[in-house]
Amino acid sequence: MCVFNRVKKKIGGKVWISCCSSRSTCYLDFLLQCTSKMSSKFSFQWLSSLLQYPSIAPLVRSGEEISDPIPATIKGIIPAWISGSFLRNGPGKFEFGQDRYTHWFDGMALMHRFHISEGSVTYSSRFLRSDSYVQNSEKNRIVVSEFGTVATPDPCKNIFARFFSRFQSPKATDNANVNFVKYKGDYYVSTETNYMRRVDPQSLETKEKVDWSQYIAVNSATAHPHYDPEGATYNMGNSYNKNGFFYNIIRVPPTDENAATEETANLTGAKVICSIRAAEPRKPSYYHSFVMSENYIVFIEQPIKLDLLKFMLYKIQGKSFNKIMSWEPQYGTIFHLVNRHTGKESEVRYRAAPMFTLHQINAFEDSGFLVMDMCCGDDGEVIGEFTLENLRRCSGEEVDKFYNSLCRNLPRRYVLPLTVDEQTPLDQNLVTLHNYKATAKKTNPGEVYMTHEELHNDELLQYGGLEFPQINYDQYNGRSYRYFYSCGFGHVFSDSLLKMDLHTKELKVWRYPGLYPSEPVFVASPKATEEDDGVVLSVIITPRKDKSTFLLILDAKNFTELGRAEVPVNIPSGTHGAFYKMG
């Protein structure tokens, strides 16, 4: 029985079935007693049907556009002090005409807005009018390649034109379906190519396309920038030339208060403050985000590799971008430490065992050490597995088998000693901070090997690990903190919301069968004096009932439900979002 096998491996032979509260009960003995008088065949079938997963295909169906805001039905209480818009982004259209996308990441960007004011909520959504969306719509077929889908040649072209189109350089998509970000006071939607789109955060109207390479020498940028207290934005992007492949740290300055208000995108003043040479020039690492503390940026060079030779050939071979990625644990993990103010890279190379990370939780400095917390897994093959074929499997054993094949991401802590020199002794744990279990040992001149500390206990394993971490970012990013919020993954898509207390490793949980929450976003109350004084927002969807979506508002302190705003729409599962205070 797949469910039993999965959990036995994690929590020592007991099967845990979570209830709707933060507590869970071991029901295996109870279930076995209930079935002891049945035939063994019937008992097995009954238990299997009870524990098998439902189909999640409705979570990855195309959504609809609602350009005119509609009112939500309020249940419970929406605190009157919440004033602004909860914006969400993600794949929302998976076909054009007879063409179908292959991978979940490929869907056209669908933007969502829950506007909250004086205890009421309205909802609206719009497809991003990217060049990719417009061209696909005009042709009624897929004409722009995405992460996992290769566009087929135009059938109207003759055979020679179609053949030679294979040799043309692939054009990067501007389908910015990952996140909402902010530069110089303007709002953008972004993905992981060199293109972003400026958007109006109130009407969700698509504005101009922005090409990073027109401002600085990079070929891409992440969808997860960091913001400093002064208003500057930091990001990372790739570049490659005859001298090799580089990971570049980008800084975009704050808005100039004396400058005239502009009606177009403005990234002037953006510059590369540090270029980090790839350890393997022909096999650079894939990355989704990076670490930033008060004074440092850390780039994590992980062993998910991009094969540049395959990259040059993949269009000719008719293969999608995800086919050039591979998990190669023999390369291990390298942490590159950079001074955020000077742009100088440390001469010390920090190494660790191979691991996979998409999202970091937070980082802060403590008495000569840099503490980094992140969601990590031990198998980087997971990204390529989120094909629509896998996600649209039938319910039961097929979904269970796919879930069990996925890596579980868990919260880990690494601690980098900031003062390592020739006098630093070899093979001695340099982490001297009280209550820290992570280690760091100088193994060779200019090299430190680190092991991590697990930031959880066995209780988290009942919820399948976690991802999409969020903190009280405005007040605690880059600072010592206590709480973070995330999604629990007891299913292929997140099926719970978690609050982790890092001092006690205690979990608070919101979970209901059949409900799938989005990334939780913390919003501080206006007069907050404590780190967790505020609310947590999340969009809840379900495949079990048509047009049954709601915005959930949790009290961040005790993690209990305050209210929900229900809207009669089907929203596909999304990626990231943010809360922006505005009128």
Side-chain angles (χ1 to χ4, degrees):
M1 203 175 292
C2 297
V3 175
F4 289 174
N5 291 336
R6 180 184 75 249
V7 186
K8 282 180 182 178
K9 293 177 183 177
K10 294 296 185 182
I11 49 178
K14 290 186 177 181
V15 176
W16 293 85
I17 303 174
S18 301
C19 65
C20 300
S21 68
S22 61
R23 294 186 177 183
S24 302
T25 307
C26 182
Y27 285 111
L28 179 56
D29 292 337
F30 169 74
L31 292 174
L32 292 177
Q33 289 173 14
C34 290
T35 59
S36 62
K37 296 182 181 181
M38 304 178 189
S39 67
S40 59
K41 180 179 180 180
F42 183 77
S43 299
F44 179 85
Q45 291 174 341
W46 182 75
L47 285 170
S48 294
S49 64
L50 181 65
L51 293 173
Q52 281 176 353
Y53 297 130
S55 170
I56 55 171
L59 303 185
V60 287
R61 62 185 169 190
S62 293
E64 58 182 316
E65 184 174 77
I66 300 176
S67 55
D68 294 325
I70 59 174
T73 300
I74 306 300
K75 291 187 177 179
I77 297 174
I78 310 296
W81 59 262
I82 305 177
S83 181
S85 290
F86 185 37
L87 304 175
R88 293 277 302 157
N89 195 2
K93 183 174 176 59
F94 300 99
E95 65 284 315
F96 285 93
Q98 298 301 311
D99 289 357
R100 300 290 184 270
Y101 286 113
T102 301
H103 200 281
W104 178 47
F105 295 174
D106 300 340
M108 294 290 99
L110 180 58
M111 303 174 289
H112 311 270
R113 177 181 185 243
F114 288 87
H115 185 64
I116 310 170
S117 177
E118 298 180 348
S120 64
V121 179
T122 60
Y123 169 79
S124 57
S125 63
R126 297 192 73 172
F127 285 107
L128 179 71
R129 264 52 177 189
S130 61
D131 289 350
S132 299
Y133 178 91
V134 171
Q135 292 171 19
N136 292 338
S137 298
E138 289 175 348
K139 299 289 186 179
N140 198 30
R141 64 182 183 87
I142 297 172
V143 299
V144 180
S145 295
E146 299 291 340
F147 175 79
T149 305
V150 176
T152 56
D154 188 343
C156 296
K157 291 183 178 180
N158 63 40
I159 189 171
F160 296 106
R162 279 183 281 166
F163 173 76
F164 285 110
S165 69
R166 293 287 188 187
F167 296 88
Q168 297 172 356
S169 298
K171 183 181 179 181
T173 181
D174 65 337
N175 176 33
N177 64 0
V178 178
N179 204 359
F180 276 89
V181 298
K182 196 173 182 180
Y183 295 95
K184 288 191 169 187
D186 280 331
Y187 301 93
Y188 299 82
V189 285
S190 62
T191 180
E192 295 186 331
T193 68
N194 56 308
Y195 296 119
M196 309 187 287
R197 278 282 183 169
R198 193 165 72 99
V199 296
D200 184 322
Q202 298 197 49
S203 67
L204 299 181
E205 177 188 357
T206 302
K207 297 190 174 182
E208 69 270 28
K209 181 168 69 173
V210 177
D211 184 349
W212 276 103
S213 65
Q214 299 301 308
Y215 294 90
I216 49 177
V218 297
N219 301 299
S220 68
T222 81
H224 287 288
H226 275 291
Y227 310 97
D228 71 14
E230 289 72 43
T233 307
Y234 293 79
N235 209 334
M236 293 203 64
N238 298 331
S239 66
Y240 47 89
N241 53 44
K242 63 180 181 180
N243 296 317
F245 190 101
F246 296 88
Y247 314 106
N248 302 292
I249 299 174
I250 305 163
R251 182 182 185 273
V252 179
T255 304
D256 185 351
E257 295 181 358
N258 297 319
T261 302
E262 298 189 25
E263 293 299 323
T264 59
N266 176 22
L267 297 184
T268 55
K271 64 179 182 179
V272 172
I273 63 172
C274 181
S275 291
I276 301 167
R277 185 184 295 273
E280 302 292 331
R282 294 183 180 179
K283 287 190 174 183
S285 292
Y286 168 77
Y287 58 95
H288 187 70
S289 57
F290 60 100
V291 174
M292 190 172 87
S293 68
E294 182 180 359
N295 296 296
Y296 295 94
I297 287 175
V298 180
F299 168 67
I300 304 163
E301 194 171 12
Q302 59 188 349
I304 304 178
K305 296 298 183 178
L306 308 177
D307 190 314
L308 293 186
L309 179 59
K310 289 182 179 179
F311 176 73
M312 292 184 287
L313 297 175
Y314 85 101
K315 183 171 176 65
I316 299 174
Q317 297 172 341
K319 294 182 178 180
S320 55
F321 182 82
N322 66 314
K323 299 298 183 183
I324 73 170
M325 300 172 64
S326 60
W327 172 244
E328 301 192 35
Q330 68 271 21
Y331 290 112
T333 305
I334 303 173
F335 296 84
H336 298 272
L337 177 69
V338 176
N339 186 300
R340 183 166 69 86
H341 307 293
T342 66
K344 182 178 180 181
E345 182 181 1
S346 171
E347 296 180 358
V348 177
R349 181 158 288 192
Y350 299 88
R351 293 185 175 273
M355 64 87 170
F356 156 68
T357 182
L358 282 175
H359 302 110
Q360 285 70 58
I361 305 169
N362 198 11
F364 58 92
E365 296 152 45
D366 186 356
S367 305
F369 296 87
L370 177 60
V371 182
M372 303 186 308
D373 298 342
M374 60 190 75
C375 297
C376 302
D378 294 319
D379 183 356
E381 298 283 1
V382 63
I383 294 178
E385 298 301 320
F386 276 72
T387 64
L388 291 173
E389 179 184 6
N390 283 337
L391 298 177
R392 289 170 175 167
R393 291 173 186 265
C394 298
S395 60
E397 285 189 24
E398 288 188 348
V399 177
D400 183 47
K401 183 177 180 181
F402 175 55
Y403 174 78
N404 282 318
S405 72
L406 300 175
C407 173
R408 305 292 181 267
N409 281 11
L410 299 167
R412 294 177 179 174
R413 171 167 288 174
Y414 291 87
V415 179
L416 278 66
L418 297 174
T419 54
V420 178
D421 54 30
E422 295 178 355
Q423 306 304 316
T424 303
L426 293 174
D427 299 319
Q428 177 179 316
N429 184 17
L430 305 177
V431 181
T432 56
L433 296 173
H434 183 59
N435 288 334
Y436 284 69
K437 297 180 181 179
T439 69
K441 295 181 180 180
K442 181 180 175 183
T443 53
N444 292 297
E447 188 168 293
V448 171
Y449 189 85
M450 303 184 301
T451 65
H452 64 268
E453 172 187 351
E454 299 286 2
L455 292 180
H456 66 91
N457 54 33
D458 283 350
E459 183 184 5
L460 174 60
L461 302 176
Q462 304 166 31
Y463 302 100
L466 57 81
E467 255 296 349
F468 297 121
Q470 288 283 329
I471 62 170
N472 181 344
Y473 190 94
D474 290 344
Q475 297 299 319
Y476 288 87
N477 183 55
R479 296 176 53 194
S480 179
Y481 71 115
R482 180 171 180 174
Y483 304 106
F484 74 90
Y485 313 89
S486 64
C487 289
F489 277 80
H491 203 323
V492 176
F493 284 106
S494 61
D495 64 347
S496 63
L497 293 170
L498 310 175
K499 177 186 179 181
M500 172 74 77
D501 184 332
L502 290 173
H503 290 184
T504 64
K505 295 187 178 178
E506 177 189 5
L507 275 180
K508 293 184 186 299
V509 181
W510 183 94
R511 188 183 194 183
Y512 285 87
L515 298 183
Y516 296 84
S518 72
E519 169 189 62
V521 171
F522 176 86
V523 181
S525 64
K527 299 179 180 179
T529 58
E530 297 180 292
E531 181 181 344
D532 59 349
D533 187 355
V535 297
V536 168
L537 306 179
S538 178
V539 177
I540 312 299
I541 58 179
T542 178
R544 294 183 175 181
K545 187 177 179 181
D546 191 47
K547 295 188 175 181
S548 182
T549 298
F550 61 91
L551 173 65
L552 174 70
I553 296 91
L554 296 176
D555 184 306
K557 189 174 292 292
N558 56 36
F559 226 53
T560 57
E561 182 173 335
L562 294 174
R564 57 179 68 179
E566 299 177 342
V567 289
V569 295
N570 291 320
I571 296 179
S573 184
T575 47
H576 298 287
F579 182 83
Y580 292 120
K581 298 177 182 179
M582 53 189 170

